Each structure stands twice: as C-alpha cells, then as structure tokens.
Amino acid sequence: MTIKTFRGGIHPPEYKELTQNSVFEKVPAPGQIFLPLTQHLGRQAIPVVKKGSVVTAGMLVAQADGFISAPIHSPVCGTVANLGKQITSSGFPKDTITIITNGQTEAAFMSPMDPETITPDDIRKRVADAGIVGQGGAAFPTSVKLTPPPEKLIEFVILNGCECEPYLTRDYRFMLERPDAVIGGLKLILKVLGVQKGIMGIENNKPAAIEKMKNYLRDEKDLSVVVVKTKYPQGAEKMLIKAITGREVPPGKLPMDVGAVMQNVGTAVAIYDAITKGEPLITAALTVSGKGIKNPKNLIVPVGTPIKDVIDHCGGLTDNAAKIIVGGPMMGAAQYDLSSPVMKATSGILVLTKDEVETKQETTCVRCGKCVEVCPLNLLPTRLARLTQLQRYEDAEMIGITVCMECGTCAYTCPSNIPLVQWIRLGKQKVFRLQKERSASEN
Amino acid sequence: MVLTFIVAIVTMGGLGFIFASALAVADKKLKVVEDLRIAEVNEILPNANCGACGNAGCYDFAVKVVQGKVDPSKCTVGGQDVIDEVSRILGVEAGSSTKMVARVLCRGGNAEAAQKENAAYYGPQSCSVQALVGGGDKLCFDGCLGGGECVDACQFNAMYMNDNGLPVVIEELCTGCGLCAKACPRNIIEIHPVDRTLFVFCKNHDDPKTSKKVCKAACIACGICARKSDGGVVMLDNLAVINYSKLDISKIPLDKCSTKAIDFVHADVQITEEKIPAEVS
C-alpha cells in the first residue's frame, strides 16, 4: 500500500533527533513578562487592567473584541507595570501589557467541567473564554473554527499531528506524553461539531507516536490514525485534507466546504486542559532547538516569557550562534530583539550557527520549473514573483497569487536563490488592497 | 483568353470603384471633427505620461484642457513655460502654478539610524518588500528603508541614493509629479511648494526614549518647537508636525532642537530671516 500524501513538496533534513527524546520541562515564570494584545488572528484584545493592577495567574487581562478575537489571561501573579509597545516575534512593535511577577504561585482558574456530561455550547463558550488559538502556527481563534455555519455539513474532524517543519518536536511529545489529553481533546471537538468520525494524521517519521495513538484508539470504532508521508508542507491544512480524504479545498474556500475541520494536536491538548482543569491558554509548549543552543529541549513556558529567558533556561547560546528564529525554519521569523515574548502559538525557537546561515547570491531565473514542480498548491511561483516585480498585480491575481500560503517550498528549491516568497507576499498584499478598493467602489 | 482578361479587369475595377465610393461616402458622413488644438497642446506637454495631473496621460490631459474641463496650470511638470504656451493656444488666462518639489523627510541614513543585530535583511532590496518582511535593517519603523524604490519610480532622473543610503532630490530636475511619494511605502516623501523651506525631517512616532535609541536624527518629541511656535508646530503622536498656515519661522527655536529634526531644507546654507520667502499656505 502506498503511503498517502499530496503532489509536490520537499523533504528537508529533519533534525528532529536533537529534541525528540527530551521530556517536556516546565520553565518557571521570569521576573517580567510581556503580553502582546494580538497573539491571534483578528481584532486586537481590549485591556481590562490598568497600570498598577494586581493580577493572579489565570486572571483575565484583556478581553476579546468581537467574534474573531481572543481574550488574554495573565500566566503569573504580579503587578501590571506598563501598557505600551513591545517588539514581538513578527518583528514589529505591538501594544503590550507588561507584568512584573511577584513570585507567588496561587492560580485562579475557571471551574473544571466533566468532559463526559458537558454540552456542546458549554465547550464552545469555555474554548472562547480560555482564549484558545490554533497551535499550528496561524493562531486563528479556535472557538470560531468550532462554530461553522449551520448549512455546512461537517463529516470528519482531522487532528493534525504531522509536524512537518524540521526541528520541531512539540506535537510529537504531546502524543507520547499526553495521549489521553490529545484523544480527550479530539473527542471534545467531535462533540462540539456533532461529528462521529475523527482521524489523526501523523507523518511516518514518528513511529513511536503512531504506535501510541493506535494503541489508544484500538477500541474506538470511529477514531483512526492515518499515516502520511514525511514531506513538507504535509501539515498544511489543505495538504493534509488532500492526503487523507483525497478532497481538494478549492481556492478561496475553507476546509469546512469539503466537510472537514482540522485542529492541531496542541490545540486539542489546550481544549482538554481548559475543560478538565479550567486552565486558560497561559502556557506555550515549544521546542528550543538548533546547533546554536547548548541544551536543546522541549519546554512548557508561561506565555509572555522573553525569548532571552527561554534561551538562558536551555544553557544559553553557543559561541557560533548566528540566527534566532521563532517558529519553524521554513516559515518562522528571524529575531533581532530577544526581549520579544513567547506567544500563545509559538511552537519553537531555533538557533542556527554561522555555518548554517547561508546568504547566497541571487541569480537570474533559469526557467528550470523546479518551483512549479514542488508547489503544493499548483501555482507558478516564478511567474507570480515576476509579475509582482513588474507591478502587474491584476495578472498575478488571475493566476492565483492569493491562493499562496507562503510555505517557502519554492524558495527552498530554487537553484537561482530567488527570494520568491518575499515577492509573492508583496504581490498578495497589493492584490488584497486592489480587491478592497474594487469592492469599495462597487458599493 | 482575352475574355478572361477583360472579366478580371472589370471585376477588380468594379470592386475598386464600389469600395472607393463607400469610403468617399463614409468620409463625408462619418467625419469626426477633432479640435486641431488638441494635437497642438499635446505637442507642447512634457509627454512624460507621469499622471501627476490626475489624468491618464498627456494626451488625455490635452483633450480635457481643450474641452475646458481642467486648468492648464494642473500640469505642474511642464512648469510655467508650458502653462503659458498652452494658455496662449487656447486663448485663456494663464493660471499660475507654483513649482512643486519632492522633499525627503527622513535624515536617518545608515550613519544615523541604529541597525538591527543578528537579523541582517536578506532578500529583494525593494522597499515595499522590506517594509512587509520584518521592516528592513533599521530599528526605526517609520524611516527610510534605503531600497531606492523612489529613485526607480522617478521618470525625470531627479533622484539618486547618496552614500549614506538616503534618496536625494535634484531640485532643478524635480517636477513635483509625486510618483516617488506614491512609491514610498513609509510615506517619507512629500510634495511641497519649492519656496517652503522649513520641515520636520522625521516621521518616527516612537516615545522619546525609543526614538532616541533608534536614530540620531529622530524627532524625540520634546515639544520645545511646538510650545514656542504659537500653533505653527503641533505635536501629533510623539512627532512634531508643521502647520504651514500658521507657521512663523522666527518663533521656532531651531537651535534648541538637539537632533536637528526640525530644520531648513538646505541645512548647509544658512538662510537668514530676511531671506525667508513668504510661506504658501
């Protein structure tokens, strides 16, 4: 039997061995934490504390602004020192609540609920109240994803345990260490959506996790594990749906349009904890890895901990450390300010060494077509980049620039080292602006 | 044999005659009278098709001027000579147009602005891309990115990048068309009348402490210029902004500005008070 997958993609070196056997370690709260008000996609949260307010762990410090937004809770006990700007891992300053911790450990969580008897509406409300956002990277508010329009028929829930980015081993550790929470979370998601069928997608480079999950699901007739090929970006929503169900999510549509809802393994754990312990999303599980860090580890860190403290906890940087990336190596962002905090959806911190950071000379496109071959979304990356350079945004829109998810597969493959993703991202922004102008002029 | 020739000649000749008469009729019936002045005006215009007047191009502008829909003085690119000439052809009063020039309102070049550590930008040098992907190499989020997109946008070769990584406008060549201002993702370039000389050369909105840290040439929001100016300078979100309609240059304590953020355009040329021309509102 062939292993399921999608067309295109790449297989970069995995480097998972650095941390795959390291058990999650809890990091104590640092002296000062930063809580940016936009740790999710959507509207910025509104602060409900003032300078000088005393907060305890689990207390609400900023409430959601509307439906597509998420509240923020304090992960520590302490005093609000400032409401100001702080550089975040995106590289830009964002409105941030700064809290000085006082060392106390009391926590005021919401009341725990029984996952067996809880109603779907209660689950949905709790997920929203706990400020849970997608742990896969995009940080989309989970409660929104659990509220599909009634006319959409959801046939199955897919739990994403692919973790296709090199280095990262967070989801892998979750599946090994907390299988009960992973499955419990999946069952809660199924309950909210009123769906029977749950499928876990795991890449075939994680045999231990596959076995563990299969053992756990032995007696469940509606839940199953599907092994998919180890390939980047196998964990992308549309790619995994294609691999498991054979259905393709059309451009501009959502997974729910083909009857699927996908959640990350980490999100399932967060949902399970929010229900059974009443704990809001105040910790981030992440992998700290790379050759530039002395002791690579998997950690559970209070949200808002500056990256510097996390690195110090792992023994600090090696002498030849050159580049610090938040997220995976394919889609993560390089950091220049190490006071930038860990956020709700931060999945990893990588430190690369001087030898690994290559700056190659860009040359002319040789029209080899490799980027077209690997693009998982069947786009023409070289053409899109060229059209953006020529400012022919309408043409770029016609051949689907807005479909691009910026996975970086094309740029990784390009023998001419053309920074394709940067250009496409610019083109996407210009096209979105054009579309906005167009709809504004129509109304 | 001869018959074949005759048939051919008659057929071709007949067809020729029919089409010729059709064309002759069409020429009379479907005649479009184009105002000869349009071509004449079009000849005089700069023909750069820059779009600064807000029309699709020079020919479009010529058509609209002749129709009286726009004023000849809207072509700032051509300058007073072109306006006078166009007005003469049309027999209208020559409007006056003040020469506009582009001003680069950032003096945070590579020497002045603090650079990011451990995150050297690697990618296209285009400013728009840099602004989108992490915000370039400088710590300032409002300043010049140094990618030269304004220079590329200029159709009149009136701009270049200096050794310090900042764009420079050649005043004599600048037509004030505004293409550079449109190209700049950080909105550093503004179009001003040429006789306006005092500017705040900074767009940074950071708080005083941060702005001091990110750039030696930043407006640090001390507010001294605003307090003394009688409304000529206002502080907006940690940045001094000049209100030209109320500006009285003699009231601005320029020497008090520690970073020289508020300054004359030609900082090296000392302009005395008497030489300062009347401000255009």
Side-chain angles (χ1 to χ4, degrees):
Chain A
M1 195 189 105
T2 53
I3 300 167
K4 290 184 170 178
T5 191
F6 61 97
R7 191 209 73 100
I10 48 174
H11 189 188
E14 292 170 23
Y15 298 113
K16 304 249 184 196
E17 65 284 356
L18 288 171
T19 52
Q20 65 184 9
N21 295 321
S22 129
V23 179
F24 274 128
E25 200 174 292
K26 269 205 162 153
V27 178
Q32 181 170 268
I33 62 150
F34 300 106
L35 295 174
L37 296 175
T38 36
Q39 300 187 34
H40 49 264
L41 274 181
R43 300 266 282 277
Q44 180 171 317
I46 307 163
V48 293
V49 289
K50 285 199 281 291
K51 191 176 169 175
S53 304
V54 177
V55 295
T56 51
M59 207 172 113
L60 183 78
V61 293
Q63 65 189 32
D65 180 13
F67 184 51
I68 303 184
S69 182
I72 294 162
H73 302 78
S74 171
V76 294
C77 298
T79 317
V80 175
N82 192 23
L83 297 168
K85 298 255 181 198
Q86 164 66 33
I87 308 277
T88 64
S89 50
S90 66
F92 295 97
K94 296 272 163 65
D95 290 332
T96 300
I97 300 173
T98 308
I99 297 173
I100 306 278
T101 50
N102 60 13
Q104 284 169 9
T105 48
E106 66 177 296
F109 291 163
M110 294 169 281
S111 57
M113 289 194 266
D114 183 2
E116 297 297 326
T117 55
I118 193 168
T119 65
D121 283 340
D122 283 342
I123 301 175
R124 207 172 278 142
K125 185 169 181 309
R126 173 56 61 89
V127 167
D129 289 346
I132 296 175
V133 300
Q135 299 287 297
F140 191 75
T142 304
S143 60
V144 181
K145 240 174 154 176
L146 296 182
T147 320
E151 70 271 16
K152 304 269 190 236
L153 178 72
I154 310 292
E155 292 166 60
F156 27 66
V157 171
I158 299 174
L159 204 59
N160 187 345
C162 287
E163 202 159 52
C164 58
E165 279 258 18
Y167 291 99
L168 305 185
T169 53
R170 181 197 64 175
D171 294 350
Y172 176 70
R173 291 309 307 177
F174 266 143
M175 288 186 280
L176 287 189
E177 288 179 37
R178 303 200 58 195
D180 53 327
V182 172
I183 302 303
L186 173 59
K187 283 182 181 165
L188 286 165
I189 298 165
L190 290 168
K191 196 166 192 178
V192 182
L193 297 166
V195 178
Q196 291 298 314
K197 213 163 177 242
I199 305 168
M200 287 198 70
I202 307 176
E203 280 186 349
N204 62 355
N205 64 347
K206 302 175 186 67
I210 294 167
E211 200 182 328
K212 188 120 194 174
M213 285 296 133
K214 278 194 169 159
N215 271 336
Y216 247 81
L217 298 177
R218 193 170 292 151
D219 303 327
E220 305 277 353
K221 71 176 190 330
D222 289 326
L223 306 183
S224 58
V225 174
V226 172
V227 180
V228 289
K229 196 174 169 187
T230 304
K231 195 160 85 173
Y232 180 87
Q234 182 71 68
E237 206 166 48
K238 293 182 179 178
M239 301 306 100
L240 189 55
I241 291 175
K242 169 87 179 149
I244 290 180
T245 69
R247 299 182 187 180
E248 207 163 285
V249 182
K253 297 278 184 193
L254 295 168
M256 60 174 78
D257 291 301
V258 295
V261 164
M262 185 176 291
Q263 295 287 354
N264 183 270
V265 162
T267 317
V269 174
I271 293 173
Y272 187 74
D273 285 350
I275 305 286
T276 57
K277 296 186 198 161
E279 184 183 338
L281 188 56
I282 53 173
T283 55
L286 49 87
T287 300
V288 185
S289 189
K291 288 182 184 143
I293 195 115
K294 283 196 180 132
N295 308 314
K297 282 174 183 176
N298 292 308
L299 301 174
I300 296 196
V301 184
V303 167
T305 305
I307 292 172
K308 193 180 175 308
D309 293 83
V310 180
I311 290 173
D312 288 348
H313 187 88
C314 295
L317 304 173
T318 59
D319 295 335
N320 59 348
K323 196 172 202 172
I324 298 162
I325 297 166
V326 162
M330 295 300 293
M331 288 185 81
Q335 303 297 311
Y336 59 91
D337 188 342
L338 294 187
S339 67
S340 135
V342 167
M343 297 204 277
K344 282 179 184 177
T346 302
S347 52
I349 298 173
L350 302 180
V351 186
L352 304 182
T353 58
K354 281 198 186 97
D355 322 329
E356 292 171 300
V357 179
E358 295 177 6
T359 46
K360 288 181 189 156
Q361 182 64 41
E362 180 186 343
T363 51
T364 332
C365 175
V366 292
R367 322 224 35 93
C368 63
K370 279 189 176 158
C371 56
V372 180
E373 227 164 81
V374 295
C375 180
L377 292 166
N378 302 322
L379 298 170
L380 311 172
T382 178
R383 185 86 191 125
L384 292 172
R386 188 77 193 124
L387 287 173
T388 305
Q389 287 169 8
L390 296 170
Q391 305 187 3
R392 286 167 57 185
Y393 304 122
E394 274 105 350
D395 295 343
E397 186 187 3
M398 287 234 307
I399 59 168
I401 194 165
T402 55
V403 177
C404 172
M405 58 174 169
E406 301 171 22
C407 65
T409 308
C410 51
Y412 180 88
T413 319
C414 181
S416 296
N417 307 309
I418 301 171
L420 293 161
V421 187
Q422 279 106 317
W423 283 116
I424 295 177
R425 186 185 279 192
L426 174 69
K428 268 171 79 175
Q429 192 210 32
K430 297 274 181 188
V431 168
F432 283 136
R433 206 173 285 166
L434 272 181
Q435 289 176 339
K436 221 179 221 173
E437 279 169 23
R438 218 176 288 152
S439 66
S441 65
E442 271 168 19
N443 296 330
Chain B
M1 195 61 193
V2 176
L3 189 69
T4 319
F5 278 117
I6 291 169
V7 169
I9 289 165
V10 170
T11 314
M12 292 313 289
L15 279 173
F17 182 76
I18 292 164
F19 288 135
S21 15
L23 281 174
V25 172
D27 183 44
K28 286 272 179 272
K29 293 270 178 196
L30 304 171
K31 192 169 184 178
V32 178
V33 191
E34 202 202 57
D35 200 326
L36 289 174
R37 295 178 301 175
I38 292 175
E40 223 175 313
V41 170
N42 193 35
E43 284 278 288
I44 299 159
L45 293 176
N47 279 313
N49 293 321
C50 65
C53 56
N55 296 299
C58 288
Y59 186 80
D60 190 33
F61 178 76
V63 172
K64 286 186 177 145
V65 164
V66 171
Q67 288 169 351
K69 283 183 186 159
V70 291
D71 197 65
S73 64
K74 282 283 181 292
C75 181
T76 51
V77 176
Q80 199 59 44
D81 293 348
V82 168
I83 296 167
D84 288 344
E85 191 68 3
V86 172
S87 307
R88 191 188 55 74
I89 294 168
L90 300 178
V92 296
E93 188 88 355
S96 73
S97 117
T98 321
K99 182 175 161 62
M100 305 292 269
V101 288
R103 298 295 191 195
V104 180
L105 302 185
C106 172
R107 282 184 177 168
N110 294 333
E112 292 84 11
Q115 309 277 322
K116 289 174 184 170
E117 282 171 32
N118 287 329
Y121 175 75
Y122 169 56
Q125 281 310 304
S126 141
C127 302
S128 325
V129 176
Q130 288 191 46
L132 204 62
V133 189
D137 274 337
K138 292 174 189 168
L139 278 176
C140 175
F141 288 98
D142 302 288
C144 176
L145 288 155
E149 220 163 291
C150 49
V151 176
D152 294 340
C154 183
Q155 310 246 337
F156 304 95
N157 295 324
M159 290 185 101
Y160 64 93
M161 298 301 286
N162 67 13
D163 298 339
N164 196 15
L166 283 177
V168 178
V169 178
I170 306 166
E171 230 173 88
E172 294 74 40
L173 296 178
C174 179
T175 60
C177 70
L179 287 176
C180 50
K182 254 182 236 163
C184 180
R186 292 261 165 103
N187 299 324
I188 289 158
I189 304 176
E190 289 178 6
I191 308 299
H192 285 277
V194 69
D195 49 8
R196 212 173 253 181
T197 52
L198 190 76
F199 295 96
V200 176
F201 289 96
C202 183
K203 291 278 182 187
N204 187 298
H205 289 284
D206 286 330
D207 58 70
K209 206 174 136 201
T210 316
S211 51
K212 238 182 238 175
K213 201 174 77 188
V214 300
C215 185
K216 285 182 200 153
C219 168
I220 56 168
C222 65
I224 293 178
C225 54
R227 278 199 294 281
K228 299 272 166 77
S229 69
D230 253 347
V233 179
V234 283
M235 298 302 295
L236 288 176
D237 190 15
N238 288 328
L239 178 67
V241 176
I242 300 180
N243 179 356
Y244 286 97
S245 59
K246 284 191 183 166
L247 181 67
D248 179 357
I249 290 180
S250 61
K251 281 187 184 158
I252 311 280
L254 294 173
D255 49 332
K256 288 269 164 46
C257 183
S258 59
T259 56
K260 291 270 165 249
I262 184 161
D263 201 359
F264 289 109
V265 164
H266 307 286
D268 41 339
V269 187
Q270 282 297 318
I271 303 176
T272 55
E273 235 174 79
E274 295 83 79
K275 281 188 193 161
I276 296 166
E279 285 299 328
V280 183
S281 60

